[in-house]
Amino acid sequence: MALDSKVPKGPINDKWTTYKDKIDLVNPANKRHIDIIVVGTGLAGGSAAATLAELGYNVKAFAYQDSPRRAHSIAAQGGINASKNYQGDGDSTYRLFYDTVKGGDYRSREANVHRLAEVSTNIIDQCVAQGVPFARDYGGLLDNRSFGGVLVSRTFYAKGQTGQQLLLGAYSAMNRQIARGKIEMFNRHEMLDVVKVDGKARGIIARNLITGEIERHSAHAVVIASGGYGNVYFLSTNAMGSNATAAWKIHKKGAYFANPCYTQIHPTCIPRSGDYQSKLTLMSESLRNDGRIWVPKNIEDVLAIREGSKKPTDLSEEERDYYLERRYPAFGNLVPRDVASRAAKERCDAGYGVNATGEAVYLDFESAITRYGIEQAKIHNIDNASEEKIYELGQAIVEAKYGNLFQMYEKIVDQNPYKTPMMIYPAVHYTMGGVWVDYNLMTTVEGLYCIGEANFSDHGANRLGASALMQGLADGYFVLPYTIGDYLSDDIRTGKISTDTKEFDEAEKEVSDRINFFVSNKGTKSVDYFHKKLGNIMWNKAGMSRNEEGLKEAIVDIKALREEFWKDVKVPGTAKEMNPELEKAGRVADFLELGELFAKDALDRNESCGGHFREESVELDGEQKGEAKRNDKDYAYVSAWEYKGEPSDAILHKEELEFKDIELKQRSYK
Ligand SMILES: Cc1cc2nc3c(=O)[nH]c(=O)nc-3n(C[C@H](O)[C@H](O)[C@H](O)COP(=O)(O)OP(=O)(O)OC[C@H]3O[C@@H](n4cnc5c(N)ncnc54)[C@H](O)[C@@H]3O)c2cc1C
């Protein structure tokens, strides 16, 4: 099947508007006869479900949590981008578009990113109208802060709880529709397959996670909004339940999977503490607005700190290496995540890591606290304020901005980050890869859509901070509701889709057979045993930096692990009850296939771009020496993989990327 991105013709500024003017619409009376399934009620799925129901469609929404409010989106801390230019610092639709394409290392589709920048401002208006309590400045206007990879302040935020507040907004919009009967909500239901009839997505098979019952649900179109697959690494900042099953199942039924190797390793996470850890914690990127990242200049100081004979606060300014400010003077501590993560790894690999495992750098707020303290002393007319007073005043400002994040850090690490610098290290955080979609957000299966982190669409090889929430809500509130209508306008005479057909019989049987296999396979090893092993392979051989030899080994190792899993996995309990081990088994089985495709994709892409760093592709000379080396001549394409059985048999389809409005350049943050 040829890949057609369906990008409308015409100048980039007009594409979306002209497209909306020309698409087919469904009249309100007909919408009442059309059903749409939305799998996932995080920010992407929640906003889509609410909007589609408001438009008049009958929506069935599914989530494996006990409430949409518990979707992983709730974890988002730092903020959401929009080019409102409230700061008057030169922001514009073009600049957001440009920053996002550049930030993604020129591996995203221009037309999609431009549309995202266009609708970004609507998102803020929508959310404010819902009552989302964005931070405001002294005069009562919406406040902004900066995130990495940009030179303007365009990030709207609600303390360190932006995702939670946005999700409450989407959830209230959903609840209105649930109360009206326009959304039927299926909490604690896991979609385990999609059902295709005559090549079109017409329903899903879901398991009721409380009773274990397998259910059939039909619709005229199916939307997947199931989040990202970062947990293929076992340890990540994602919620423990985040998984790839819905995306992987549709891949197996014909949806191409794009750029699986593009993973975001976030630079500011609390370092791993030991082998029994099951989760990593993010320290929001917003902290890089005020925190300065450093390691000691001298190795003797590193060793003294590790031994405990020196404290970081004992080191003078001259004894500290603020390596991001040194290497990237233009962006400093606000370089994009991929750049900051690799720079931390470089320092730690060189022996400068400051914790016992040598895998930590400092994120220090001392300068910011002092700077704010001096300003506050002036504002409050305190002459000759003592150092303590200045610190106290400054700390209050930092606390007001990031208090909940500091509290979280102290609870986990048992150190007071107002008094001693935080220790941070990169960790898996987000997946730019995902299900391939065209401009309409439709997958390669007709009537099957994919939105939010689950698709590959807008971030290229690296996502800029605060742009996942923007994309999820753009997809759900402002893009899908138009594009899906164009498709559904052909379905107004179709009538109810029956679930009593051979296609539903077959899909249900496949799901039941697999569940029955798990509960009857009396193996000896737990699901987590396999998940951890997979995570180790992924981190060591397909992690922050990758090479040909390691990737080839990863492919062999993952295949062998998968074979062992199917022989020896032990799933206690039965199928007809609430059984979290059974849920995990299905998810890890899918990760074991996805992981291999990931490594295969990374092997194919013999260039360094964004979150994908190939050791064979590094700048050897000049100002950029040591930086990642992109290869536009051979790799300016989206890799879209078609499922053919084993991951090793997957077929690569290339969507060549055209850059008409942005010039491809060396990505420099110096
Ligand atoms: C700690 C942390 C902080 C972050 N901070 C920011 C930030 O400040 N700004 C920013 O822009 N981004 C941030 N991100 C990224 C952002 O939060 C996510 O990319 C985004 O929330 C994903 O939203 P989503 O709706 O696509 O998926 P999710 O929120 O992951 O929702 C997935 C939904 O799908 C459902 N689901 C999944 N599989 C199935 C299935 N098989 N059957 C039924 N239901 C299923 C789940 O129940 C859930 O409802 C952060 C991420 C993390 C981990």
Side-chain angles (χ1 to χ4, degrees), residues 91-385:
D91 204 4
S92 63
T93 299
Y94 181 83
R95 214 175 265 280
L96 175 51
F97 160 59
Y98 175 86
D99 288 343
T100 309
V101 171
K102 175 185 170 190
D105 222 350
Y106 306 93
R107 290 291 175 265
S108 40
R109 201 187 277 151
E110 272 190 345
N112 285 51
V113 181
H114 196 277
R115 175 176 64 188
L116 176 66
E118 282 175 60
V119 304
S120 67
T121 52
N122 302 124
I123 297 171
I124 303 304
D125 297 341
Q126 164 91 359
C127 296
V128 169
Q130 286 170 346
V132 171
F134 284 123
R136 290 178 184 266
D137 65 16
Y138 182 73
L141 302 173
L142 293 182
D143 198 13
N144 291 130
R145 56 190 175 197
S146 291
F147 265 53
V150 305
L151 295 171
V152 294
S153 280
R154 63 162 71 102
T155 304
F156 294 77
Y157 64 100
K159 235 182 178 182
Q161 305 168 343
T162 314
Q164 179 175 0
Q165 298 307 330
L166 292 171
L167 192 58
L168 286 171
Y171 175 65
S172 354
M174 275 186 78
N175 261 342
R176 193 172 105 78
Q177 303 302 334
I178 292 171
R180 289 176 66 214
K182 291 305 290 181
I183 294 182
E184 199 180 345
M185 184 66 223
F186 294 87
N187 292 318
R188 287 263 184 231
H189 276 67
E190 182 167 25
M191 170 219 169
L192 292 175
D193 214 345
V194 63
V195 182
K196 276 165 56 177
V197 179
D198 298 330
K200 293 181 175 176
R202 292 299 200 189
I204 63 167
I205 304 294
R207 178 166 180 268
N208 178 326
L209 299 180
I210 308 270
T211 63
E213 202 177 321
I214 304 297
E215 299 174 4
R216 302 174 178 199
H217 296 274
S218 69
H220 297 88
V222 175
V223 180
I224 302 297
S226 53
Y229 54 89
N231 280 349
V232 68
Y233 285 86
F234 185 65
L235 283 182
S236 88
T237 63
N238 287 195
M240 293 285 290
S242 293
N243 68 86
T245 286
W248 195 249
K249 293 296 193 241
I250 66 169
H251 172 55
K252 291 174 98 161
K253 285 283 161 77
Y256 293 0
F257 206 95
N259 303 328
C261 79
Y262 288 165
T263 317
Q264 177 156 87
I265 316 270
H266 196 297
T268 57
C269 303
I270 299 181
R272 206 167 69 94
S273 62
D275 283 345
Y276 291 101
Q277 195 163 348
S278 52
K279 168 95 186 69
L280 293 171
T281 306
L282 177 78
M283 288 286 103
S284 164
E285 177 163 323
S286 59
L287 295 173
R288 287 199 274 144
N289 272 267
D290 282 313
R292 298 176 71 196
I293 295 179
W294 64 275
V295 290
K297 264 189 196 151
N298 305 314
I299 204 79
E300 301 76 43
D301 288 333
V302 174
L303 300 176
I305 287 174
R306 283 193 203 159
E307 279 164 11
S309 57
K310 262 192 183 171
K311 296 200 293 277
T313 43
D314 294 336
L315 268 57
S316 67
E317 280 296 291
E318 291 68 42
E319 290 168 321
R320 301 173 177 200
D321 176 14
Y322 295 95
Y323 57 86
L324 289 178
E325 297 170 32
R326 167 171 59 79
R327 286 179 64 179
Y328 307 101
F331 284 70
N333 293 296
L334 281 173
V335 288
R337 294 173 177 178
D338 57 333
V339 177
S341 291
R342 278 197 294 277
K345 181 177 184 324
E346 187 279 327
R347 283 295 73 199
C348 291
D349 287 353
Y352 290 83
V354 292
N355 67 351
T357 62
E359 290 189 329
V361 299
Y362 289 126
L363 177 63
D364 194 332
F365 291 84
E366 192 186 351
S367 324
I369 291 175
T370 309
R371 176 166 41 86
Y372 286 127
I374 293 172
E375 189 179 286
Q376 287 299 306
K378 282 216 165 72
I379 291 171
H380 296 289
N381 293 323
I382 307 174
D383 294 331
N384 305 320

Side-chain angles (χ1 to χ4, degrees), residues 39-45 62-65 71-73 75-80 147 189-191 225-228 237-238 242-243 245-246 282 429-430 451-454 463 465-470:
V39 176
T41 53
L43 281 175
F62 293 79
Y64 59 73
Q65 288 96 347
H72 158 71
S73 289
Q77 300 172 351
I80 175 167
F147 265 53
H189 276 67
E190 182 167 25
M191 170 219 169
S226 53
T237 63
N238 287 195
S242 293
N243 68 86
T245 286
L282 177 78
H429 178 64
Y430 181 88
I451 61 175
E453 189 174 341
R463 175 174 73 79
S467 56
L469 302 184
M470 172 174 66

Side-chain angles (χ1 to χ4, degrees), residues 353-660:
V354 292
N355 67 351
T357 62
E359 290 189 329
V361 299
Y362 289 126
L363 177 63
D364 194 332
F365 291 84
E366 192 186 351
S367 324
I369 291 175
T370 309
R371 176 166 41 86
Y372 286 127
I374 293 172
E375 189 179 286
Q376 287 299 306
K378 282 216 165 72
I379 291 171
H380 296 289
N381 293 323
I382 307 174
D383 294 331
N384 305 320
S386 65
E387 266 182 33
E388 289 72 34
K389 186 66 191 170
I390 286 177
Y391 212 82
E392 183 194 315
L393 292 167
Q395 180 172 326
I397 299 295
V398 169
E399 195 173 340
K401 284 178 128 177
Y402 316 108
N404 65 316
L405 302 172
F406 275 56
Q407 186 194 30
M408 192 163 76
Y409 181 87
E410 187 165 1
K411 287 216 156 141
I412 293 173
V413 183
D414 197 24
Q415 286 181 1
N416 178 350
Y418 296 105
K419 303 275 177 239
T420 185
M422 287 184 184
M423 281 191 283
I424 50 160
Y425 195 67
V428 172
H429 178 64
Y430 181 88
T431 44
M432 283 75 67
V435 177
W436 185 89
V437 288
D438 63 19
Y439 188 75
N440 301 318
L441 305 179
M442 198 197 278
T443 69
T444 43
V445 174
E446 252 191 285
L448 181 58
Y449 291 79
C450 189
I451 61 175
E453 189 174 341
N455 76 21
F456 89 107
S457 69
D458 295 350
H459 309 294
N462 172 57
R463 175 174 73 79
L464 290 181
S467 56
L469 302 184
M470 172 174 66
Q471 182 225 328
L473 291 180
D475 288 358
Y477 283 134
F478 296 109
V479 180
L480 182 81
Y482 287 100
T483 61
I484 204 169
D486 190 35
Y487 170 77
L488 289 170
S489 60
D490 284 343
D491 254 331
I492 52 177
R493 285 182 207 86
T494 306
K496 271 265 174 249
I497 308 287
S498 167
T499 56
D500 200 8
T501 62
K502 71 172 188 331
E503 289 86 354
F504 275 91
D505 290 347
E506 280 164 15
E508 183 179 324
K509 181 170 182 316
E510 235 179 272
V511 167
S512 300
D513 285 353
R514 186 152 121 146
I515 287 174
N516 291 335
F517 168 84
F518 281 133
V519 290
S520 13
N521 188 50
K522 301 294 174 211
T524 62
K525 300 200 176 80
S526 71
V527 176
D528 273 357
Y529 167 88
F530 293 99
H531 197 179
K532 270 188 199 173
K533 283 212 150 194
L534 173 66
N536 271 333
I537 301 171
M538 296 297 298
W539 183 247
N540 293 329
K541 296 180 177 167
M544 250 196 287
S545 78
R546 303 144 186 199
N547 60 45
E548 184 182 342
E549 192 190 342
L551 289 168
K552 284 184 172 159
E553 281 169 15
I555 290 172
V556 173
D557 293 353
I558 296 171
K559 189 170 189 307
L561 185 66
R562 194 168 60 242
E563 282 165 8
E564 192 191 342
F565 171 87
W566 285 106
K567 281 194 198 119
D568 205 17
V569 70
K570 177 188 166 85
V571 177
T574 69
K576 291 278 180 237
E577 62 178 340
M578 188 169 182
N579 187 342
E581 281 300 301
L582 176 60
E583 292 166 31
K584 271 200 287 187
R587 295 168 190 172
V588 171
D590 294 332
F591 278 143
L592 282 162
E593 292 180 7
L594 169 59
E596 188 181 332
L597 185 70
F598 183 128
K600 184 178 159 101
D601 182 49
L603 185 62
D604 170 76
R605 192 167 282 280
N606 190 8
E607 65 161 346
S608 291
C609 62
H612 171 63
F613 183 77
R614 278 291 293 263
E615 288 161 18
E616 297 90 341
S617 188
V618 176
E619 297 288 351
L620 297 176
D621 307 299
E623 205 202 10
Q624 296 293 325
K625 190 171 172 194
E627 300 290 337
K629 184 174 179 190
R630 219 177 54 229
N631 174 352
D632 294 331
K633 190 169 128 300
D634 300 316
Y635 293 100
Y637 59 77
V638 174
S639 306
W641 296 93
E642 181 182 0
Y643 181 79
K644 285 285 175 192
E646 287 286 300
S648 53
D649 300 330
I651 295 178
L652 174 62
H653 300 263
K654 296 179 182 175
E655 180 194 340
E656 296 296 337
L657 291 167
E658 288 187 340
F659 293 90
K660 292 189 179 149

